[in-house]
Amino acid sequence: MSKRLHYSIRMRAAKDSVHISGAEGIYEKNDVLDTVQKYTGRAYAHDKGRADEIHLTIEELKETPRRISSLPLCTLNTRNSEAAGKAAFKILSSIGITERAIDEAFKSLTIGITMRGAMLMDIEGVRLEPDLLRGVRVTRMGITKKADAILSKHLAKLGLNNDTVKEALILASKVHKYPMVLGELCISDDPNYTTGYIASRAFGYIRLLHIKKRGLPYGGRAFFITGGEVKELIKYLQTTPVLIDNIKPCEGALSLKEILARKSHRKSHSRK
Ligand code: WAQ
Ligand code: MG
């Protein structure tokens, strides 16, 4: 069987030397040119202004991308940041992450410094990433055209068919495929984007409305990890190509109770 080549295409754009836009995906050869055009258009049409510097990387992948399913998606029906924070604590502590670690993550994500990558935190809250200022960047993930069309359809029904949600779901789906990762807390760095998420294999991708106060220009990601080789984990996050080719259910708003009631089922399911 002849194996088709895949390409990782990555874009980052800046205006006046400040980062304004980024995108990435994994594509087949026939789609490389269209993608370059799409990404360039995106950099020129960004809310934050027209980019004056665009970096594009087109990398032929030496490894066949690993195919995975997306995490199931839902939204927690909390009304304010206090309730969202409390619910995040309940969910994350139910999968074995200590309150100290969750506290530490919230603190680090709201202190006002934005890292380029994610923090790696053990379940006690000890930071494990080698570069504490930069964090670890997850790259080389994408979605097949077919799966993307299905995901768009699911998300459109929820009024959520946009790049922000899609990209976050694709990133989290790659991250949580790795058994050492237990959970994740994410808060956007966009001052107007107040929705964040927590993700885990046990519960999937749970959107957290109002997790951040409007106007704050910082955010970040924390991956909670358990015992294992951190070097191998970082290698996976940064370099292993992963392609989503199957979409799990995407649901609307659920209560904390409804979400907590689902854990055991999903957990036993994902252990296979
Ligand atoms: N790898 C690791 N960390 C990253 C990456 C990456 N590829 N990209 C961003 N980060 C970190 C970095 O610290 C950013 O400041 C922070 O995450 C937030 O990134 O369902 O938009 O791109 O409605 O601002 C989540 C909710 C949106 C989506 C997340 O993140 C929804 C978002 P942003
Ligand atoms: Mg952002």
Side-chain angles (χ1 to χ4, degrees), residues 142-215:
I143 184 166
T144 62
K145 268 192 193 169
K146 245 189 183 164
D148 187 48
I150 295 168
L151 180 59
S152 292
K153 224 162 96 189
H154 285 351
L155 291 178
K157 280 189 191 147
L158 302 168
L160 294 175
N161 190 20
N162 60 67
D163 289 334
T164 306
V165 175
K166 268 191 183 169
E167 285 167 5
L169 179 66
I170 293 167
L171 185 150
S173 299
K174 173 176 179 181
V175 170
H176 295 275
K177 204 68 201 170
Y178 204 83
M180 258 174 88
V181 182
L182 264 188
E184 171 185 4
L185 171 65
C186 169
I187 299 177
S188 168
D189 55 29
D190 180 335
N192 291 315
Y193 206 89
T194 58
T195 304
Y197 70 84
I198 48 181
S200 60
R201 281 182 299 286
F203 293 105
Y205 176 101
I206 304 173
R207 305 179 61 246
L208 297 172
L209 307 176
H210 319 294
I211 192 66
K212 148 162 147 168
K213 289 206 179 78
R214 192 168 293 278

Side-chain angles (χ1 to χ4, degrees), residues 87-143:
F89 258 87
K90 280 232 168 93
I91 296 169
L92 290 169
S93 53
S94 86
I95 49 181
I97 300 158
T98 63
E99 293 211 357
R100 199 208 299 180
I102 304 166
D103 230 8
E104 197 53 44
F106 267 107
K107 266 196 211 139
S108 310
L109 294 186
T110 49
I111 204 168
I113 299 167
T114 299
M115 295 161 62
R116 288 239 311 125
M119 299 185 270
L120 303 181
M121 213 175 247
D122 74 8
I123 56 170
E124 304 291 340
V126 176
R127 299 272 294 272
L128 299 174
E129 71 276 16
D131 184 338
L132 295 170
L133 289 176
R134 184 177 182 273
V136 176
R137 289 281 299 176
V138 186
T139 73
R140 295 177 179 80
M141 59 268 180
I143 184 166

